[in-house]
Amino acid sequence: MTTITCLLLVTGCAAGPAGPSKDSSTPEPTYTISSLSIDPKACKFEENPSFRNGLGDRAQFSYFPAITNSQYFLPSVGDLEIGLVLLDWSDKEGNNEDQSYYKEQTKKLTEWYSTMSQGKLAVNWRVSETWNRLEGSWKDYRAEDNEQGSDEARVPFEQWLLDEAVAASDSAFDFGGLDAVVFAIPTNGTVMTSGTQGFEYNNFPGSKRATLVNSQEATIGNWVISGSKFMDKKGRSPSWIHWAHELGHMFGPISHMGDPNPKNTNNFYANTLYGVGLFADQWVVTRAVEGWNAWLLGWHEDNQVLCVDATTIDDEIFALNDARSAETGAKMLVIRTGKTTGLVIESREWDESIDSPTRMGKTGYYDSFVMYQIDSSRFVGDQSLRTLANGSTDEAWDSGKWPSEAEVFTNIYFKPGDTAEFAGLSVEPLTVQKGKDFIRVAKIKN
């Protein structure tokens, strides 16, 4: 086996782990990096055709081939045109502070998508310069989450809301040529709690979920409006994370990986990629896109995916870049265990300029690896993608998370000293630091 030796701090392969300074006489660790890899195409697990259910190019997807040229999904590569429409009421007026807040949120979202797509997606904004006055009182529009019911049950309210929004803004705002619309309301008090949204893929003959922005310039099926849970101005739950999450659905991937028979009611079982990426969980601490979805959408290049056949692994060390790193090299490791199965491993590094400002985040807790098993033969709701847990699956609270339901399942984060087992393999993080991170994967021997 050909190997590459990486000497920390000498070759620049990686910085040493954070902690007390070492005696200068103590040699820095060296790692012999495995050269194992196969063609990344071998790890492009294919969607089971029966899961398309005759939906054609409006079927959301979890595996290859990704449907990236459908009229029902937003383009994941190229330019995306989004409108920001400011709405207020005579008894809840918008102000300059809110206007500045929302403009800053548009910049945050644009920068984040540019980073996560490695510059392949440019989000451009058309922003209304003034507030557009809705008819009636804000109380007429009040909608609590627990009153909205199913997607179908919400449609009459949502379509009425859209019609009122267009009536208030159409004469002053040009909706032409937009791929999606974000409506924004004053932040003083609760009109909606989480908010609501609509998707182009629901707009087809006979659909009971169809909602449309019917302006004089265009008809648009992708839209979102954030409620008070996503109006935080301290970075804990800002509007842009809600917009980014819903846009993720508009690209086509399915990210809510529910277990049909949950063992209990916590978020880990309701959403089995909970905490891994922002498409699956708006309140993920390290705000990154799940690597698998980034690959599906064309943001990860094939040469940034390290594909390894599990049968060839003896005792190997692999190097991975942080999910948001601009460095060249592997973004994720996929260990192939079968034609449709494997384990995805990714590196996470908490960044105070992007991530949720929690107490544990500031201590470096979320500088870690996340791992999730994958099986494209199973329906997405049947644990097709499922995060590995480090010990108990009981959720744990991280003080500083807001709102209160933004609970953190801390046991999916693996750090040096932790070990995971999967398909006869032991997985052990060695370092988590700025730059490349190192992880050992070894065959478990009896």
Side-chain angles (χ1 to χ4, degrees):
M1 178 181 72
T2 303
T3 59
I4 302 172
T5 300
C6 178
L7 177 63
L8 296 186
L9 300 182
V10 176
T11 65
C13 291
S21 60
K22 296 181 179 180
D23 186 289
S24 59
S25 63
T26 303
E28 295 294 338
T30 59
Y31 295 117
T32 300
I33 307 304
S34 174
S35 63
L36 286 182
S37 68
I38 56 177
D39 190 329
K41 292 180 181 178
C43 287
K44 288 187 173 181
F45 304 121
E46 295 187 1
E47 192 93 50
N48 186 322
S50 67
F51 300 154
R52 301 286 185 179
N53 294 324
L55 297 177
D57 62 353
R58 64 179 177 83
Q60 287 185 277
F61 50 87
S62 299
Y63 299 101
F64 292 91
I67 304 174
T68 57
N69 59 349
S70 168
Q71 63 175 314
Y72 294 102
F73 300 130
L74 296 180
S76 59
V77 173
D79 286 273
L80 194 62
E81 307 296 330
I82 304 180
L84 176 69
V85 180
L86 302 172
L87 302 171
D88 72 352
W89 296 267
S90 59
D91 56 351
K92 189 182 286 290
E93 294 183 323
N95 57 40
N96 291 337
E97 182 182 348
D98 280 347
Q99 189 172 9
S100 296
Y101 169 74
Y102 284 122
K103 286 185 177 181
E104 180 63 25
Q105 296 301 291
T106 66
K107 295 177 183 178
K108 287 277 192 181
L109 183 137
T110 296
E111 292 168 357
W112 185 80
Y113 265 113
S114 178
T115 298
M116 296 312 307
S117 70
Q118 299 187 95
K120 296 180 177 70
L121 180 69
V123 179
N124 307 307
W125 289 90
R126 185 182 306 160
V127 180
S128 60
E129 293 304 319
T130 60
W131 292 90
N132 301 276
R133 183 61 49 84
L134 288 160
E135 291 290 331
S137 167
W138 69 270
K139 297 176 184 177
D140 301 329
Y141 296 76
R142 185 174 176 84
E144 295 284 357
D145 285 353
N146 58 8
E147 295 175 354
Q148 293 186 18
S150 66
D151 290 345
E152 292 83 356
R154 292 198 305 269
V155 165
F157 166 78
E158 290 174 341
Q159 190 59 59
W160 170 78
L161 170 66
L162 295 177
D163 292 343
E164 292 296 310
V166 170
S169 60
D170 212 1
S171 61
F173 185 83
D174 180 8
F175 288 88
L178 296 179
D179 297 296
V181 182
V182 173
F183 295 103
I185 58 179
T187 64
N188 58 326
T190 300
V191 178
M192 299 180 183
T193 44
S194 291
T196 189
Q197 58 280 321
F199 306 104
E200 185 64 51
Y201 57 76
N202 284 330
N203 295 309
F204 57 91
S207 173
K208 296 181 180 180
R209 297 184 179 183
T211 54
L212 292 167
V213 178
N214 293 306
S215 74
Q216 60 185 354
E217 299 91 7
T219 299
I220 305 164
N222 291 312
W223 60 273
V224 60
I225 181 169
S226 297
S228 56
K229 290 179 182 177
F230 295 103
M231 293 178 177
D232 178 57
K233 297 179 181 178
K234 297 181 180 180
R236 300 167 300 178
S237 185
S239 297
W240 77 263
I241 64 170
H242 184 216
W243 304 346
H245 172 89
E246 300 307 339
L247 283 169
H249 294 307
M250 295 173 192
F251 293 125
I254 301 175
S255 294
H256 290 290
M257 314 302 178
D259 180 335
N261 298 298
K263 297 177 177 62
N264 56 37
T265 58
N266 72 19
N267 283 334
F268 177 72
Y269 290 106
N271 174 1
T272 54
L273 278 188
Y274 180 59
V276 172
L278 197 142
F279 285 0
D281 170 20
Q282 299 100 314
W283 292 310
V284 63
V285 177
T286 51
R287 292 164 179 159
V289 171
E290 306 90 328
W292 184 260
N293 279 331
W295 196 19
L296 278 175
L297 294 172
W299 298 342
H300 285 358
E301 301 288 349
D302 284 2
N303 62 11
Q304 294 178 306
V305 178
L306 185 55
C307 179
V308 176
D309 192 303
T311 61
T312 65
I313 293 175
D314 181 36
D315 191 342
E316 318 291 335
I317 295 177
F318 301 100
L320 291 176
N321 287 330
D322 170 49
R324 295 169 302 203
S325 170
E327 295 182 17
T328 58
K331 288 279 190 178
M332 66 178 182
L333 168 64
V334 183
I335 300 174
R336 188 181 190 271
T337 58
K339 185 177 180 180
T340 65
T341 59
L343 179 70
V344 180
I345 303 174
E346 302 177 36
S347 169
R348 289 285 188 270
E349 294 172 16
W350 186 82
D351 183 338
E352 64 179 352
S353 68
I354 303 172
D355 296 328
S356 183
T358 71
R359 177 186 60 82
M360 292 172 67
K362 293 176 181 179
T363 66
Y365 181 86
Y366 297 101
D367 295 340
S368 60
F369 288 90
V370 292
M371 315 179 199
Y372 45 101
Q373 62 191 50
I374 192 165
D375 186 350
S376 66
S377 72
R378 303 175 72 158
F379 182 66
V380 65
D382 186 26
Q383 305 180 53
S384 175
L385 286 145
R386 181 159 183 170
T387 310
L388 292 192
N390 180 15
S392 169
T393 53
D394 292 333
E395 288 176 318
W397 175 255
D398 176 355
S399 61
K401 285 292 285 178
W402 183 92
S404 60
E405 58 267 47
E407 294 167 309
V408 177
F409 181 45
T410 57
N411 290 336
I412 68 169
Y413 304 103
F414 289 81
K415 299 170 288 300
D418 297 330
T419 303
E421 292 186 4
F422 180 81
L425 298 172
S426 171
V427 185
E428 176 190 359
L430 298 175
T431 66
V432 181
Q433 62 216 339
K434 294 298 180 185
K436 284 184 172 60
D437 297 326
F438 298 91
I439 192 163
R440 171 179 280 122
V441 183
K443 183 183 299 182
I444 298 174
K445 299 176 181 179
N446 296 327

